[in-house]
Amino acid sequence: MAEMEFPNCFEPYLRYAIATDFKYFESFDDDDFRLFLLVEFKDARHAAQFEKEMTAMDDNHDGKPGIEFGPAHRKSRYATIRCFKAAVGPPTFGSWNDHVSRVELSLPVRPTAPQLIRRAVLRDRTASVYRPTDLLIGVIDDGCPFAAAHFVKSILGVAAGTRVRGIWDQNPDRNPIRVDSNTEFGELLSSDFNYGLEFLRDSEPPSPGVRKIGLNEWINLHSTAGSVNEDGCYAEAGFKTLKRQRSHGAHVMDVLAGRVPISSRIGRRDPPSWQSATDPAASADVVFVQFSEDCIRDATGVWLKSYVVHGIYYILSFVDPTITRNVLINVSYGPTTGPHDGTAELESALTELVTIFDGSPGKPKLEIFLPAGNAYLSEGHVVFERTSTLPDHVDWTWRIPPDNSVLCFAEVWMRKNDASGVIVTLTSPGGLTSSSTTGPIPPPDGIPFPSFTGVYAPREWGDNTVWLLAVEPTIAHSGFVPEHGHWTIRVDGVGVNAKVHAYVARSDPNLDVRSGARRSYFVDAEWERTRSAEARCKYGNGEFDKAGSLIHRNGNLNGIATASVPSVHVAGGYILSNGRKSPYASAGPARGGPRVGPDYVLPCDESYALGGIRAGGNRSGAVFRLAGTSTARHRSWRGR
């Protein structure tokens, strides 16, 4: 299957989506949904000319690009763009090549307003009945228990509603909840972001039209004699994640901004003190961005980029620079793939945002917190460094599970100067082969090898070259499906002193997601055959020996946490009882990049037997243990 000559700025997953005609975007259709792109322009000034050229095509072509720019700072080179499929079609390639350095694909989005919004302007959300706090905390996650007791706002010792100033639910199919003929709860975001539903803390004043009530009034509608019916409060508002007793967002939000800090809940030699915190976080205002269900179901994280950038701008829209001094934002999710050298597009966008909002006069100080990741034992990272005594090729196994309901991706990365003449080959368990020189090819009649499974042509990405490998879902359905089992990845033409890195995209489900997805991973078959028995007799520092294997546990940091920027913080985890690294916590160094590991490590497990850290669930008084570096990064500044 010959590959179309795309613009150089198109990233591999966008190329894959176009090649499959967006086959795996289940909700996508040309009328209701639009592509969602994160674009890096060559210069901030190029955005205006790009917009002008694309707008002209709306009048001169049958297939209209329908370009819409999301809110962005005027000095930013990064922009989120919504568009029709025609915007990435051949007539537009010249504009992409002339003005854009990189463009990456997020999940499609259905706009709230049907009309095109050429360039959205960020709405001012600074108004508040109560004086905003000096510190604003932003959480981009899944599940916000705004009515829980540990998020009650207290003024002079008196409860005054919730500390949550706003929730943006990014699900595209949400509509306001009708309370009565004159009152609604929730407002469609039709002015700046143009998708999802917003819930503000404060209600609108009485008016002749339909009045929008806020979180506080909604809580009061579900309260009797001072007791809140939290079940009804969340269910009637349509917050599906809050139907359960636990959620990832609830735990992270409590660790980050809860009334009782983790240090008061952990019993070391003495029982926990359960003392309330006195730090600014315990009383700070909170803004929550709820990822859509489709984003949470996609464990790879490769489609989240534009939603993260939008989430950060939404949180910043609550900032009154005369009052708010610090904005702390946590992003709980990230990919296991990417260049791992600090140059991923979302990493660069985060770096630019903290550079713009640097605490200088008229601006808040923005700090972003990221987890190091939980991929240390995932067997998802291969490293091969060629020496003069080694052959110019390397191969390993990619184990694809049966009955897997999602796509499996892997990436092979090399420095651009070392990649000339290198060929990557993917061979199925049955012996069918796809190489980077031919790309995925249609199979012979009757052979179960779908045409979009295989290796795609290499793409230069900054100073790197990347090969994308894809295997379609192996769950049985009508038509052919790929084989499950041991696929072989082979890299030929590796020069002396050249390094090959490969990463598997995570596919096992996120917390409480039931998707039928299963994890794929790498295996060094030769090492398993010749050295694994010996290695299982060598145990030190809490882990078995892996020396000599192509599978490397180090260097598997969160794919958007490999840059080294003072205001972007990366946290790893350790076991409180013995001080050893948590067994799952990802480790550095970045692949040739500036980061050697997390900025700090904090307790993520109380002991081997008592894994995870206890924090709040979706109801007042409910707690549960969550294991992962998500529990570490937020406590780093609560003790400052």
Side-chain angles (χ1 to χ4, degrees):
M1 181 177 65
E3 185 176 343
M4 183 185 300
E5 190 61 37
F6 294 112
N8 291 331
C9 61
F10 281 19
E11 53 101 12
Y13 293 95
L14 176 57
R15 295 165 183 264
Y16 174 84
I18 296 172
T20 62
D21 196 26
F22 302 91
K23 173 181 178 181
Y24 289 100
F25 293 103
E26 296 180 359
S27 58
F28 187 80
D29 67 71
D30 291 324
D31 295 329
D32 292 334
F33 281 81
R34 295 173 194 161
L35 300 183
F36 201 13
L37 308 172
L38 178 59
V39 178
E40 178 189 86
F41 289 101
K42 295 179 179 179
D43 185 274
R45 293 168 294 183
H46 278 267
Q49 183 60 32
F50 178 82
E51 179 184 6
K52 180 179 178 181
E53 293 176 11
M54 286 290 192
T55 301
M57 292 183 193
D58 282 341
D59 300 326
N60 300 326
H61 290 79
D62 293 335
K64 296 183 178 182
I67 288 286
E68 298 180 317
F69 280 78
H73 194 275
R74 58 184 176 81
K75 294 183 179 180
S76 177
R77 291 194 302 132
Y78 296 88
T80 56
I81 288 179
R82 289 184 296 265
C83 57
F84 297 119
K85 284 195 293 186
V88 292
T92 70
F93 285 178
S95 296
W96 288 107
N97 279 324
D98 291 343
H99 304 295
V100 176
S101 297
R102 293 186 291 182
V103 55
E104 297 193 356
L105 179 66
S106 293
L107 288 170
V109 64
R110 180 170 58 207
T112 296
Q115 70 274 15
L116 291 180
I117 300 176
R118 290 296 183 190
R119 184 170 287 276
V121 177
L122 192 64
R123 175 181 161 190
D124 185 340
R125 296 177 173 87
T126 58
S128 177
V129 170
Y130 303 115
R131 177 183 169 84
T133 53
D134 294 345
L135 170 65
L136 177 65
I137 295 176
V139 182
I140 306 176
D141 213 302
D142 179 33
C144 175
F146 59 90
H150 42 293
F151 298 119
V152 168
K153 187 174 186 66
S154 178
I155 299 179
L156 299 176
V158 178
T162 180
R163 290 164 50 201
V164 179
R165 286 189 63 186
I167 301 172
W168 176 21
D169 188 337
Q170 292 185 333
N171 279 290
D173 56 351
R174 299 275 337 245
N175 289 300
I177 295 89
R178 179 69 70 164
V179 179
D180 55 41
S181 59
N182 299 314
T183 312
E184 286 183 343
F185 179 47
E187 181 178 1
L188 293 170
L189 283 181
S190 58
S191 58
D192 43 11
F193 298 102
N194 200 22
Y195 65 98
L197 196 62
E198 175 183 44
F199 304 88
L200 297 177
R201 180 169 65 190
D202 300 331
S203 299
E204 291 181 349
S207 63
V210 175
R211 185 173 71 94
K212 307 291 185 182
I213 67 170
L215 295 169
N216 280 344
E217 189 170 342
W218 180 258
I219 293 171
N220 289 337
L221 290 175
H222 295 83
S223 301
T224 303
S227 177
V228 180
N229 176 9
E230 294 179 47
D231 288 347
C233 184
Y234 301 143
E236 292 178 22
F239 291 109
K240 295 180 181 179
T241 300
L242 300 181
K243 292 189 299 183
R244 304 185 293 269
Q245 288 295 310
R246 66 177 191 174
S247 67
H248 193 278
H251 192 284
V252 166
M253 190 169 158
D254 191 31
V255 171
L256 179 64
R259 190 170 57 192
V260 179
I262 296 301
S263 58
S264 296
R265 304 180 187 189
I266 294 176
R268 296 181 177 92
R269 294 195 180 115
D270 300 315
S273 68
W274 297 103
Q275 291 295 311
S276 296
T278 57
D279 62 330
S283 57
D285 288 336
V286 177
V287 177
F288 195 97
V289 177
Q290 168 69 52
F291 278 133
S292 70
E293 290 182 54
D294 286 339
C295 285
I296 296 300
R297 286 176 65 86
D298 168 47
T300 67
V302 300
W303 318 108
L304 292 177
K305 301 136 185 137
S306 297
Y307 293 94
V308 170
V309 173
H310 269 192
I312 292 173
Y313 274 113
Y314 177 78
I315 293 164
L316 291 172
S317 71
F318 288 83
V319 170
D320 183 342
T322 65
I323 300 174
T324 306
R325 302 295 182 219
N326 296 88
V327 180
L328 306 178
I329 297 178
N330 119 78
V331 180
S332 289
Y333 298 89
T336 54
T337 50
H340 283 79
D341 63 357
T343 64
E345 187 176 8
L346 181 53
E347 280 183 299
S348 300
L350 298 181
T351 298
E352 185 186 73
L353 281 166
V354 298
T355 302
I356 293 173
F357 297 96
D358 59 356
S360 57
K363 297 178 182 177
K365 172 69 173 176
L366 173 63
E367 297 184 79
I368 296 173
F369 291 80
L370 303 169
N374 305 318
Y376 189 76
L377 298 177
S378 67
E379 308 290 285
H381 179 210
V382 158
V383 180
F384 172 71
E385 183 173 7
R386 167 109 189 270
T387 65
S388 58
T389 61
L390 293 175
D392 68 348
H393 64 270
V394 63
D395 62 78
W396 65 93
T397 297
W398 184 13
R399 188 167 290 171
I400 303 294
D403 296 324
N404 185 34
S405 64
V406 298
L407 289 162
C408 287
F409 290 116
E411 297 172 1
V412 175
W413 289 84
M414 294 183 68
R415 291 297 179 195
K416 181 169 60 177
N417 294 338
D418 296 332
S420 177
V422 172
I423 297 174
V424 178
T425 303
L426 180 65
T427 303
S428 76
L432 295 173
T433 298
S434 166
S435 79
S436 56
T437 56
T438 62
I441 57 175
D445 290 340
I447 300 298
F449 197 78
S451 56
F452 302 118
T453 288
V455 186
Y456 285 76
R459 307 312 312 170
E460 291 184 359
W461 206 242
D463 294 331
N464 300 297
T465 297
V466 57
W467 292 261
L468 177 66
L469 296 80
V471 176
E472 294 187 276
T474 58
I475 193 167
H477 57 76
S478 59
F480 294 132
V481 296
E483 302 167 81
H484 65 268
H486 289 184
W487 293 66
T488 300
I489 299 173
R490 180 182 171 103
V491 182
D492 287 285
V494 181
V496 176
N497 298 324
K499 282 187 177 182
V500 177
H501 287 257
Y503 304 93
V504 170
R506 180 186 164 218
S507 56
D508 51 315
N510 287 314
L511 179 68
D512 287 333
V513 172
R514 303 290 183 266
S515 63
R518 306 179 67 183
R519 180 174 69 95
S520 71
Y521 55 95
F522 293 146
V523 177
D524 183 351
E526 180 64 17
W527 184 89
E528 293 287 343
R529 185 179 66 81
T530 60
R531 299 185 60 177
S532 63
E534 175 190 357
R536 291 190 181 101
C537 298
K538 297 178 179 180
Y539 186 82
N541 296 320
E543 59 186 78
F544 287 102
D545 182 36
K546 202 73 173 178
S549 175
L550 291 172
I551 313 301
H552 278 227
R553 292 169 177 164
N554 290 331
N556 52 14
L557 290 168
N558 176 351
I560 59 172
T562 62
S564 183
V565 182
S567 292
V568 178
H569 309 278
V570 179
Y574 73 92
I575 301 171
L576 188 62
S577 64
N578 60 18
R580 288 177 175 167
K581 186 181 74 66
S582 293
Y584 49 78
S586 297
R591 178 189 144 261
R595 180 170 289 281
V596 296
D599 293 310
Y600 34 74
V601 292
L602 291 162
C604 285
D605 303 281
E606 290 197 47
S607 68
Y608 272 118
L610 200 58
I613 293 294
R614 182 169 50 186
N618 288 340
R619 298 294 184 273
S620 297
V623 293
F624 72 102
R625 291 187 176 275
L626 180 66
T629 51
S630 294
T631 67
R633 62 196 185 279
H634 318 297
R635 295 200 304 283
S636 60
W637 55 270
R638 291 202 70 169
R640 288 196 306 204

